[in-house]
Amino acid sequence: MLLAAPVVSEELRLTVYTDPPGATVSNNFDALGVSGVELPIDPKGREVLELTVEKPGWKSAHFSLSVESIRETPFYPREEDHAGVLQLQPASVGAYLFRFRWWVGGLLGLVLLAAPLIWFQHRLRQRALALIALTAAAPSSGGSPRPKRVGPYTVLDELGRGGMATVYAGRHEQDKSMVAIKILHSEVVADPGFQARFHREVSLSARLTHPSIAQVYDSGEQRGMSFLIMELVEGGSLRAALRPQGMTKAEALEVLVPLFDAIAYAHRCGVVHRDLKPDNVLLTKKGKVKVTDFGLARHLDSDTLTATGTALGTPAYMAPEQVQGVHFDFASDQYALGIIAFEGLVGQRPFDAENPMEVVFMHLTELPQNPCELRRGLPDQVGAVVLKMLEKAPEDRFPDVAQAGEALREALEGWT
């Protein structure tokens, strides 16, 4: 009698790769294990195996494999199929988030990165709007009525009007000497902050004695009107003298060098101007420089009258640290002088736009163009001096205005 040979069960090995990993792999009878791990497969005499992959939150996947294919390639799917990973389809919110985790993570990263930038831009926008409102160049429509007399002076013609005060020519009754009389506008007289700056201008300017700084003679109040008596400069402002083609070598030496020297002297006296611009630089009929309007200046040894984080000045000439409202000192004046020198030599400012707020952002984020690229024939040494004065970080500028002025003078003298 012949006995039938027993059937020997063949055990195979198969690894299933899934996304997400750790899915349960089973056949028609029982669970084999989890994906990503080598699984024992008993074909039990079958030529084709039906396998199922399941994971909570995901749709089940079904596929067929022949025993022969498992012998040849002990993993599924093959690398040429689906990049070697079986992609399960999401069936829940959590699964969708996992499937698109890289996109979600990238989006969250962008949000986290952009949030502080948006906040910083918002703060700068608020500061810029405050600066524009504070330093608006438009003349005031108000002001006190012109008095006939101020102290011993007869008030004559109006010389200029700004947002804070009006300036008149005046004549002394006895010696007939001519002066300039600055009268604070009535709408700001009641504001302690403006009055404080006005009287600070008196105390600071009176102590500065320099041939290129307009002299202050006297100050006081008359029937509620605050006034300042100062040297009359017959001529005009540097603003009116600027030309699109820029200054000549002689003009630059005659204007910029004395201007730098005057501010260096003020700095040696401990005074920061804080509002340097061509409008505050007067030129006599003979072309001599007279710096005026130290109304926004403060002595470095005194307490500031502005709240923390408040910046004063004119946006077009303000240093980055002044725009941000952080501590600023002599280096901020040097930056403003760099803007004035750039504008005087080239005929245009390094940062300019119709919207003053755009100018504020340019001071913070953009580098100035080399003035030598804007004006043909301007020496490289002159351009290098101006650009060093316009460095964003105060410590990268010249150590002081005196050294900046000396470097500029030497560069200008070498201009042929």
Side-chain angles (χ1 to χ4, degrees):
M1 181 178 180
L2 295 178
L3 298 176
V7 178
V8 179
S9 177
E10 178 185 11
E11 186 174 278
L12 304 175
R13 296 287 177 176
L14 174 67
T15 304
V16 179
Y17 296 99
T18 63
D19 181 23
T24 300
V25 182
S26 60
N27 57 19
N28 292 336
F29 302 98
D30 49 21
L32 302 177
V34 296
S35 61
V37 178
E38 191 176 61
L39 306 174
I41 301 294
D42 183 0
K44 297 181 179 179
R46 294 187 299 275
E47 293 297 325
V48 176
L49 300 178
E50 300 292 335
L51 299 176
T52 300
V53 178
E54 299 176 300
K55 189 175 179 68
W58 301 82
K59 295 180 181 179
S60 300
H62 306 276
F63 59 94
S64 300
L65 283 180
S66 66
V67 173
E68 186 63 30
S69 67
I70 296 176
R71 292 194 187 101
E72 294 176 357
T73 307
F75 52 82
Y76 179 85
R78 292 178 173 83
E79 291 193 12
E80 61 268 19
D81 300 331
H82 310 291
V85 177
L86 177 61
Q87 298 277 353
L88 301 183
Q89 297 304 310
S92 65
V93 174
Y96 274 103
L97 291 176
F98 182 85
R99 170 53 45 82
F100 300 105
R101 58 191 180 278
W102 300 114
W103 290 98
V104 173
L107 181 60
L108 288 176
L110 289 176
V111 171
L112 293 176
L113 179 64
L117 295 178
I118 294 173
W119 176 85
F120 182 67
Q121 185 182 46
H122 175 69
R123 289 295 301 273
L124 286 181
R125 186 178 297 274
Q126 287 183 320
R127 189 179 302 281
L129 290 173
L131 288 173
I132 295 166
L134 178 65
T135 62
S140 171
S141 59
S144 302
R146 182 173 69 175
K148 293 182 179 181
R149 298 170 58 83
V150 172
Y153 298 94
T154 300
V155 179
L156 303 175
D157 297 333
E158 181 179 316
L159 301 178
R161 180 181 294 260
M164 180 178 171
T166 301
V167 182
Y168 301 95
R171 184 176 58 242
H172 197 280
E173 289 181 350
Q174 296 180 355
D175 60 21
K176 306 302 180 183
S177 60
M178 298 296 293
V179 296
I181 304 173
K182 177 180 286 189
I183 298 177
L184 199 67
H185 289 167
S186 59
E187 58 265 27
V188 299
V189 167
D191 187 331
F194 277 97
Q195 285 202 63
R197 286 197 297 274
F198 181 79
H199 291 296
R200 185 171 63 231
E201 176 178 356
V202 177
S203 62
L204 290 175
S205 300
R207 59 183 290 190
L208 299 177
T209 304
H210 189 277
S212 294
I213 295 179
Q215 186 65 46
V216 173
Y217 301 131
D218 195 8
S219 65
E221 293 188 10
Q222 178 178 298
R223 292 188 294 274
M225 175 185 63
S226 298
F227 63 88
L228 177 68
I229 308 299
M230 55 193 300
E231 177 183 356
L232 176 63
V233 180
E234 296 187 79
S237 69
L238 176 58
R239 170 76 63 203
L242 294 176
R243 302 190 308 275
Q245 63 269 31
M247 297 175 175
T248 64
K249 172 184 175 180
E251 290 170 339
L253 287 170
E254 186 177 16
V255 173
L256 296 180
V257 172
L259 171 60
F260 279 52
D261 186 57
I263 301 305
Y265 164 79
H267 287 181
R268 289 195 296 271
C269 295
V271 177
V272 184
H273 192 288
R274 298 210 302 176
D275 194 26
L276 285 169
K277 55 186 175 182
D279 310 80
N280 288 336
V281 179
L282 304 180
L283 300 176
T284 68
K285 291 182 177 179
K286 294 184 179 180
K288 301 300 181 182
V289 170
K290 293 286 184 178
V291 183
T292 186
D293 199 359
F294 281 82
L296 294 178
R298 70 174 176 89
H299 193 279
L300 286 185
D301 295 333
S302 65
D303 294 330
T304 178
L305 294 178
T306 58
T308 302
T310 300
L312 297 178
T314 302
Y317 300 88
M318 292 177 66
E321 67 272 16
Q322 198 171 358
V323 169
Q324 293 173 310
V326 299
H327 175 72
F328 51 89
D329 50 19
F330 306 120
S332 304
D333 275 356
Q334 183 182 152
Y335 185 92
L337 287 174
I339 300 287
I340 294 174
F342 192 111
E343 186 175 9
L345 292 167
V346 176
Q348 66 184 63
R349 290 192 290 263
F351 307 116
D352 207 358
E354 292 184 4
N355 187 343
M357 192 161 57
E358 293 182 30
V359 179
V360 170
F361 289 120
M362 293 169 75
H363 281 299
L364 294 172
T365 60
E366 295 190 16
L367 295 177
Q369 189 172 355
N370 191 325
C372 299
E373 298 175 358
L374 298 173
R375 180 176 179 181
R376 187 176 181 181
L378 191 66
D380 292 338
Q381 295 88 339
V382 175
V385 171
V386 174
L387 289 177
K388 185 172 179 62
M389 296 176 68
L390 297 180
E391 289 286 351
K392 301 297 183 189
E395 60 271 16
D396 292 334
R397 302 168 200 155
F398 287 97
D400 53 52
V401 169
Q403 294 188 42
E406 180 63 21
L408 182 62
R409 182 189 61 77
E410 292 179 358
L412 289 172
E413 290 178 347
W415 186 0
T416 58

